[in-house]
Amino acid sequence: MEELNVPNPDGDVNPKQIELILSGIDRLPTLPAVATRLMAIGSEEDFDLDEAIRLIETDPALSATILAMCRTAEKGLGDKITSVRRAVIMLGLETLQAAVLSVYVYEQLEGHAKTQDTGLFDRTGFWIHSIAVACASESIARSFPEFGVKPDEAYLSGLLHDVGKLAMQLVLPKVYEKTLRLAQSRQCATCAAEQATIGIDHYTAGKRLSEHWKLPDSIRDAIWLHSQPRASLPEDAARELVSVVTLGEAIARDLHLGWACEFGVGLNTMELANELELNTDKIGSMAQGIVETVSERTQILGVGEHTEGDLLLSSITQANRRLVDINSTLQVKATEANRFWRVLSVLGEFNDHASGDSTPDELLCSLANALGNMVGTVRVTAILQHSVKDPWRVYVIDNGTITDGPEEVSPPDTGIGIARPGGLAEANAAIMMELASIEWLTDMLSDIRSAGTPIVMSLDEPGEGDADQLPSCLLILAGTDPVGGSLISTKAFGFVRRTWISALARSVRVERSKRLGEDLAAANRAMAAMKDTLAEKESLIRLGQMAAGAAHEMNNPLAVIRGRSQQLFERLGAKRDRDAAESIARGADQLSDLITSLHMLTDPPKPMKTPTDPVLVVRQAMDIARDRVKKEGVRAKIQLSIPSEVLPIDVDRDLLSSAIAEPLINAAQSNPVGVVSVCIEPVPDTNRLTIKIADRGPGFSPKSLKHGFDPFFSEQGAGRRSGLGLARTRGILDLHDAEISIANLPGSKGGGGEVTITIGTVKQRNRRAA
């Protein structure tokens, strides 16, 4: 019989494949007509004994088998039975039917298997085991008649209980060989391997074959349902017969008679006996009788001559072999358990040190420490990149603590687009040659190589759609523990690695969220400041519009007032009248200056910039300030110092001088009899210079420091000044890309304030334009 063409026997099975296998079982040979007729006679109420005798006598081999069974039967007749008639009468029809089926089943299956390469499948051992199960089942049925199971039926059911294995081996010899080796390697039940590789197990195959042979339903149930828990058996099944065969299977495996074609944990005989409420001592005393019966039945069936001594010796050998297999399996399991324990220890150690709110750097230290302990090293070098847009950062971690870094490094340019640190783990020899020129990487690798065998591991998540937003990490460490180093490539450690990847990704997301929150808060603050600035500018615009309108409407009246007051001053002779006229003229001038200042704030003039010596600009501002304070009776002195050479500045000289004059006037007014110092000096290592104006007056109050540049702010008495000086100065400085700040002099016992103006030189401006 040729093997069926089963598609993909090692992969997923489908209903069509299973039906193909079952159809192959259906094509196995049927039982001979003699067996079929004898089974039919047994089901008739009025059976013809002469017909049964004639059927047996037509088959000489079957006749010899029946006579041999009489010689082994405990009937006290010995060799006196010499005819088939007397043998049939002595044995009874049920025993006769069991004997006939046993002989024909064995002959049919073995007859088609002689040319098959059995490989791992031990056919002789299989039949000895089947006979042992049959003899044990028969002994149980005979010893415990309360079950109501006929011994001959129990014997036949036990003999055929695993016939499904033979059927599958006949239909799929190569695939079934592979199935058995899978069960052997995994030390699992054969049915589990059958389901994994073929899609059906030998229980289902045996049921199908029993239906193909038209065996009684009770025998079919024993083949199909044996070894299942009694509580799970269907109500309409032959539950008692199935339980007897299951217990017989357990006893036969305990005796190690033959080859059970099983590699997993066997049935527990005592538990089954207790479940059936049987006397366990009586069960234990059956062993010797079963061995004797097996020896006799193997010869009768034609399996071969096996004495009791041979069977016992084989039983001991099988038991020892099983012990060796179990011990070997336990050693393998112990090794695997130890490896799993070490992997779990790594995960546990990581969890002990990491927490839900750990930063990426803290998480990196925790996993580096756990990994280092596994492979036997205290130093781990890591390269971490939070996302594809973030820089590469190199860390040196000793005993779970960052001892060097993080240092930002440039990604290696290999010409093939390795954009993430984890990609270095997959680099081939050619790429590594390119990377050898990178100083920071070669230093890192040489440091690791000097400590042991380098281990390179990536913590990237493959196949993710948003990989650019995920972190990429490369760990490089020296492996001094070969066993620990080998764990990195195991499937179990793969789960640990995935845990680390997920934890690192989560930590980076949390960190990114925190930074985003901080940036959002800063943006909100900036937006609020912009709103304030915008409101200020809008108010200045409205003020400018009002000032422009006022200037248009008031300039002529002011000119008339000033002209008339001047005429009055010249005509009047009395000093009091002349002073009054002069006061009118000053008021007109102040009002005109106020309107001009407002117009400058809201509609600044376009500066006409030319390269100018900053000293000349400051001296011009000093002259403007001296003239102004002199009119107010202020005698403060203004002194200029220039510690070193300064570069020219590109400015509108008149406009900038008027702006610098304002803080000079304020400084002089704050200390009318003191000295105002002005210092021009370059800012080191830049193309900028500062103009610092300092006085020894009372300094700036906290309110002045906060509102000094606000329009109309002044802490002087009413009517002294408009409060637009510093506001106008800042506006003019903005036109020159300059900055102004106010502060109190540090460490000064007498107080004093300082105004700092910072402006770029011509060299700096030329570089910006380029």
Side-chain angles (χ1 to χ4, degrees):
M1 183 176 181
E2 296 183 358
E3 180 173 8
L4 291 174
N5 182 20
V6 179
N8 192 22
D10 294 326
D12 295 335
V13 293
N14 55 62
K16 290 184 179 180
Q17 175 177 318
I18 295 174
E19 194 58 39
L20 182 63
I21 296 167
L22 293 177
S23 66
I25 295 173
D26 289 340
R27 292 201 300 271
L28 288 172
T30 58
L31 294 176
V34 174
T36 305
R37 182 54 190 156
L38 280 174
M39 295 297 296
I41 290 174
S43 63
E44 297 173 359
E45 294 183 5
D46 251 345
F47 66 89
D48 188 345
L49 183 60
D50 290 334
E51 182 184 357
I53 294 170
R54 284 195 303 272
L55 286 171
I56 294 171
E57 288 177 339
T58 60
D59 190 332
L62 182 59
S63 299
T65 300
I66 297 301
L67 292 173
M69 290 182 66
C70 289
R71 286 193 294 270
T72 60
E74 298 177 358
K75 302 293 183 179
L77 299 176
D79 295 333
K80 294 179 181 180
I81 305 300
T82 58
S83 67
V84 172
R85 177 174 290 278
R86 292 195 65 186
V88 170
I89 294 172
M90 173 189 163
L91 294 174
L93 184 60
E94 292 176 351
T95 302
L96 182 66
Q97 289 173 322
V100 170
L101 278 177
S102 301
V103 171
Y104 280 127
V105 167
Y106 177 76
E107 288 181 351
Q108 290 289 69
L109 294 178
E110 286 302 295
H112 286 81
K114 288 180 180 178
T115 59
Q116 299 292 342
D117 180 14
T118 57
L120 184 63
F121 197 91
D122 180 4
R123 304 189 72 84
T124 301
F126 173 82
W127 279 113
I128 292 174
H129 170 73
S130 297
I131 294 171
V133 175
C135 294
S137 301
E138 180 186 42
S139 179
I140 295 167
R142 184 174 289 114
S143 300
F144 301 97
E146 61 269 24
F147 267 116
V149 176
K150 298 175 182 178
D152 298 309
E153 187 180 30
Y155 173 84
L156 184 59
S157 299
L159 182 69
L160 302 180
H161 78 289
D162 270 350
V163 71
K165 294 177 180 176
L166 278 174
M168 296 179 75
Q169 200 277 333
L170 279 173
V171 175
L172 303 166
K174 294 180 181 178
V175 176
Y176 202 67
E177 176 74 12
K178 196 175 296 184
T179 300
L180 293 180
R181 296 199 180 279
L182 176 64
Q184 185 183 46
S185 65
R186 294 184 179 178
Q187 290 294 297
C188 67
T190 302
C191 62
E194 291 167 348
Q195 288 284 359
T197 58
I198 302 175
I200 62 171
D201 54 33
H202 63 271
Y203 300 105
T204 304
K207 174 180 178 291
R208 189 65 172 253
L209 184 59
S210 67
E211 292 170 346
H212 176 60
W213 284 343
K214 296 181 174 57
L215 297 179
D217 291 347
S218 58
I219 297 177
R220 177 205 64 192
D221 291 345
I223 295 172
W224 178 30
L225 302 172
H226 76 275
S227 299
Q228 290 192 25
R230 182 177 174 84
S232 66
L233 297 176
E235 290 295 332
D236 58 347
R239 296 166 62 91
E240 305 303 330
L241 178 60
V242 172
S243 298
V244 167
V245 173
T246 301
L247 183 56
E249 163 81 358
I251 293 172
R253 291 188 66 174
D254 286 347
L255 294 175
H256 296 282
L257 294 172
W259 182 64
C261 190
E262 287 291 347
F263 304 94
V265 179
L267 300 167
N268 190 305
T269 303
M270 292 299 106
E271 286 185 3
L272 290 173
N274 288 329
E275 184 180 356
L276 297 173
E277 298 181 354
L278 301 180
N279 187 327
T280 54
D281 292 335
K282 197 172 183 180
I283 294 292
S285 65
M286 293 180 181
Q288 184 60 38
I290 292 173
V291 174
E292 294 174 1
T293 309
V294 170
S295 176
E296 296 169 355
R297 299 289 175 85
T298 53
Q299 297 179 43
I300 294 172
L301 200 57
V303 177
E305 187 174 345
H306 300 277
T307 65
E308 295 179 35
D310 292 340
L311 290 174
L312 289 174
L313 182 60
S314 175
S315 173
I316 294 172
T317 303
Q318 290 281 3
N320 287 335
R321 185 179 296 117
R322 181 60 178 162
L323 286 174
V324 170
D325 289 344
I326 292 174
N327 184 55
S328 176
T329 301
L330 288 176
Q331 288 180 349
V332 172
K333 295 295 184 183
T335 301
E336 291 180 355
N338 182 59
R339 291 162 68 93
F340 276 116
W341 176 82
R342 291 192 63 174
V343 170
L344 289 175
S345 297
V346 170
L347 188 57
E349 185 176 355
F350 167 75
N351 289 335
D352 288 342
H353 292 85
S355 61
D357 57 350
S358 296
T359 66
D361 286 1
E362 292 170 344
L363 208 62
L364 191 63
C365 289
S366 298
L367 66 88
N369 184 62
L371 182 62
N373 289 339
M374 185 180 78
V375 303
T377 185
V378 298
R379 172 168 290 192
V380 178
T381 300
I383 309 174
L384 177 63
Q385 185 186 30
H386 287 191
S387 72
V388 73
K389 295 182 179 180
D390 293 312
W392 286 30
R393 294 183 175 90
V394 177
Y395 303 75
V396 177
I397 303 170
D398 285 332
N399 288 312
T401 302
I402 298 175
T403 57
D404 191 6
E407 177 186 358
E408 292 190 7
V409 297
S410 299
D413 183 11
T414 62
I416 62 170
I418 295 183
R420 311 302 303 275
L424 297 177
E426 307 299 327
N428 55 31
I431 296 175
M432 293 308 292
M433 289 292 291
E434 295 286 338
L435 299 179
S437 61
I438 303 174
E439 183 177 353
W440 64 265
L441 185 58
T442 53
D443 291 345
M444 178 195 310
L445 291 174
S446 62
D447 183 46
I448 295 295
R449 193 177 291 110
S450 64
T453 305
I455 297 174
V456 180
M457 188 177 74
S458 168
L459 285 184
D460 284 11
E461 183 67 70
E464 289 290 339
D466 59 344
D468 288 350
Q469 299 301 317
L470 293 174
S472 177
C473 182
L474 186 77
L475 300 175
I476 306 175
L477 61 163
T480 59
D481 183 351
V483 176
S486 66
L487 293 178
I488 291 178
S489 59
T490 62
K491 184 177 180 180
F493 188 77
F495 292 109
V496 175
R497 180 175 168 274
R498 290 293 297 273
T499 300
W500 286 352
I501 291 172
S502 299
L504 195 58
R506 177 186 175 278
S507 179
V508 168
R509 289 191 183 100
V510 171
E511 186 80 3
R512 194 177 294 152
S513 298
K514 290 181 180 178
R515 296 293 174 266
L516 187 61
E518 294 172 357
D519 293 344
L520 184 60
N524 287 335
R525 288 192 294 270
M527 185 177 294
M530 290 178 63
K531 287 182 178 179
D532 292 341
T533 303
L534 182 61
E536 178 183 347
K537 289 186 178 296
E538 288 177 349
S539 65
L540 289 175
I541 290 173
R542 289 193 296 271
L543 185 61
Q545 293 171 345
M546 181 184 69
H552 179 73
E553 298 296 332
M554 297 173 63
N555 274 337
N556 289 334
L558 287 174
V560 172
I561 292 173
R562 178 167 179 75
R564 298 300 185 188
S565 63
Q566 186 65 33
Q567 290 177 357
L568 288 173
F569 179 80
E570 292 175 355
R571 292 177 182 178
L572 295 175
K575 183 178 183 307
R576 187 176 66 177
D577 294 336
R578 291 171 63 88
D579 289 343
E582 189 175 4
S583 297
I584 293 172
R586 284 199 304 270
D589 290 338
Q590 289 178 355
L591 187 57
S592 179
D593 289 342
L594 174 61
I595 294 173
T596 302
S597 296
L598 289 174
H599 189 67
M600 182 175 289
L601 285 174
T602 57
D603 188 16
K606 184 177 181 180
M608 305 297 293
K609 297 180 182 179
T610 57
T612 306
D613 186 348
V615 177
L616 296 180
V617 175
V618 172
R619 289 191 182 279
Q620 184 173 335
M622 293 169 60
D623 291 340
I624 295 172
R626 286 192 185 101
D627 290 344
R628 180 79 62 82
V629 298
K630 184 178 180 181
K631 293 178 181 180
E632 298 175 359
V634 175
R635 298 191 303 275
K637 296 181 180 180
I638 303 175
Q639 297 179 348
L640 174 63
S641 65
I642 309 170
S644 60
E645 182 182 0
V646 291
L647 295 173
I649 54 178
D650 191 17
V651 298
D652 184 321
R653 176 175 172 179
D654 293 337
L655 199 58
L656 185 60
S657 297
S658 65
I660 297 174
E662 291 293 341
L664 285 172
I665 294 170
N666 290 342
Q669 290 176 341
S670 67
N671 188 12
V673 294
V675 177
V676 176
S677 62
V678 183
C679 178
I680 308 174
E681 57 183 346
V683 180
D685 301 323
T686 67
N687 292 318
R688 296 174 71 79
L689 60 82
T690 60
I691 302 171
K692 294 185 178 181
I693 302 169
D695 66 78
R696 290 295 176 179
F700 294 100
S701 69
K703 189 174 181 181
S704 295
L705 292 173
K706 185 176 181 181
H707 300 285
F709 295 101
D710 293 348
F712 301 108
F713 173 79
S714 176
E715 290 191 309
Q716 295 185 8
R720 294 293 304 274
R721 299 200 62 185
S722 63
L724 293 174
L726 287 181
R728 184 173 56 191
T729 297
R730 187 173 66 175
I732 295 173
L733 291 176
D734 287 342
L735 299 175
H736 292 82
D737 294 329
E739 297 90 31
I740 183 172
S741 63
I742 58 177
N744 288 317
L745 290 174
S748 176
K749 294 181 180 179
E754 184 178 61
V755 176
T756 303
I757 298 172
T758 306
I759 190 169
T761 63
V762 172
K763 183 176 181 180
Q764 182 199 34
R765 294 183 186 279
N766 290 340
R767 187 172 69 176
R768 284 183 179 177

